[in-house]
Amino acid sequence: MIYWEIFLAFFIPGILGYGGGPASIPLVENEVVHHYGWLTVSEFSEVLALGNALPGPIATKMAGYIGYEQAGILGAAVGVFATVAPSLILMIGLMSILYKFRESPKVKRMSNYVRPTIALLLGGMAYRFFFESYEGSGALQTLFLIVASYLLLERWKVHPAYVISGALVYGAVVLS
């Protein structure tokens, strides 16, 4: 029963909280504080502060923490799933519609417009990351990470997760 309650406590705000985490926070508070009584207002404010302090989406961090407090690891998994389920269901529904009409000239045209936009957004992000790295770490460190990443990814076909992890370790050890 607790897993169903955790699911509902985060699924309903996920459906009604248009705009993501900040829009759903009052809805989550209503469920976990007023409806189920799992937390006090003070405890909820502490969970919210913790969720804001950590990187990533607020709603999923809160769902994981509250779910864990109520029902352990499975409760955390249920809470996180319930938070992302509305978006997941909607995306699967929309993708099935796009797949159904994938041969349509309008859908093909839309895809052709989206690809360059995404490429430009990714390029802009990479450009900003490069200059932040350059300013924060210096030219030599930035150049080393670029060359090492290129060789690992393109020449030796190392999985990107390992390259990212290695860069994080390098930054923590060498640049700290």
Side-chain angles (χ1 to χ4, degrees):
M1 187 65 174
I2 187 69
Y3 299 115
W4 179 246
E5 290 175 347
I6 292 171
F7 181 82
L8 289 178
F10 293 101
F11 186 76
I12 293 170
I15 290 173
L16 300 176
Y18 181 77
S24 65
I25 289 170
L27 301 169
V28 171
E29 180 196 16
N30 183 61
E31 293 295 319
V32 301
V33 174
H34 305 295
H35 185 251
Y36 293 107
W38 294 332
L39 301 174
T40 65
V41 173
S42 175
E43 290 170 332
F44 183 81
S45 68
E46 290 174 4
V47 171
L48 178 60
L50 179 67
N52 276 321
L54 298 171
I58 298 167
T60 54
K61 292 178 285 192
M62 290 176 54
Y65 179 81
I66 295 167
Y68 181 80
E69 286 294 314
Q70 295 307 307
I73 293 174
L74 185 56
V78 169
V80 171
F81 175 74
T83 302
V84 300
S87 298
L88 181 67
I89 292 167
L90 186 60
M91 284 179 55
I92 290 171
L94 290 174
M95 287 305 295
S96 66
I97 292 170
L98 277 176
Y99 187 75
K100 182 178 177 182
F101 296 106
R102 69 183 181 277
E103 298 301 323
S104 164
K106 291 180 182 178
V107 171
K108 285 183 178 182
R109 195 174 325 116
M110 181 183 69
S111 296
N112 288 337
Y113 290 145
V114 169
R115 281 188 195 122
T117 304
I118 291 172
L120 286 172
L121 290 172
L122 288 172
M125 184 178 68
Y127 180 78
R128 287 189 304 274
F129 284 172
F130 171 78
F131 280 102
E132 277 189 39
S133 175
Y134 177 77
E135 290 173 359
S137 303
L140 185 61
Q141 301 297 337
T142 301
L143 184 63
F144 171 75
L145 286 173
I146 290 171
V147 171
S149 297
Y150 173 79
L151 292 173
L152 289 168
L153 291 169
E154 296 298 324
R155 292 271 175 111
W156 297 308
K157 306 297 182 199
V158 175
H159 193 277
Y162 296 124
V163 176
I164 292 169
S165 298
L168 288 172
V169 169
Y170 176 81
V173 172
V174 176
L175 301 176
S176 61

